[in-house]
Amino acid sequence: MTSSELWTRATAERYDTEEAEASSPAALGPALDFLAGLAGDGRALEFAIGTGRVGIPLRERGVPVVGIELSEHMAAVLRRKVDEETLPVTIGDMATTVVPGRFALVYLVYNTITNLLTQDEQVECFRNAARHLEPGGRFLIELGVPPLRLLPPGQVAVPFDVSERHLGFDTFDLVEQVLVSHHFTLEDGRYRRDDSRHRYAWPAELDLMARLAGLEPERRVADWDGTPFTQDSTKHVSVWRKPPA
């Protein structure tokens, strides 16, 4: 079992439309270049593959991709695009589900490790990645840096999108290290509200999780284009390596 909240059928059906900008070739190109470079001639395993936003175009780049996905509804949308033989997907959680074989790359993008709502589960996610890696293989995570510097005393909310059709803000439980993302999306003259819980983690905390899993830090940048990571970076792409046998 996992603490992750399950994506519903309704959410899965509208996911690709709502993430169309993030799925465009211009947006995805640098990420696919980065991932394909790490995978080389080997296979890649995507934790929380969802509807295949990244996994399918990476497969089209020539990288054999396998996926793990908790939501059957998200996986069903993926399956309309590509068959099981081309891109196998196992239904299960990313902290404990095991698939056959070893991989040159295991990756987890778009802040998805925060769907695991406890530190223990996030640690197990790193261990599960290490379990699937071949010696010398790499584990990659794309994750935002918690925007706590934007919280003045007494404030618990930070807006992340204020646009014509969408209002989004995060509220923070600083003790439990949990944030709730609130979305108000305009549809047919009315706002639809969606909320999701996430456990945020700092880069240094992830490095410790990696060490517990027997992985070594290799690279951390601020974005897929290789921009250096600094104290002002709002996200990071981090890579850890399994030592050679």
Side-chain angles (χ1 to χ4, degrees), residues 163-167 184-192:
S163 56
E164 184 177 350
R165 300 189 61 83
H166 178 256
L167 303 174
F184 294 84
T185 306
L186 185 62
E187 291 182 346
D188 300 323
R190 302 181 65 181
Y191 278 96
R192 185 190 77 244

Side-chain angles (χ1 to χ4, degrees), residues 147-148 151 155-160 168-174 176-184 193-200:
L148 300 189
L151 284 173
Q155 181 173 313
V156 296
V158 172
F160 59 83
F169 61 92
D170 293 329
T171 54
F172 293 83
D173 182 332
L174 301 181
E176 297 298 327
Q177 215 165 296
V178 169
L179 67 85
V180 180
S181 286
H182 306 266
H183 301 265
F184 294 84
R193 178 173 180 170
D194 300 290
D195 302 304
S196 59
R197 293 188 302 152
H198 306 267
R199 182 188 185 272
Y200 61 86

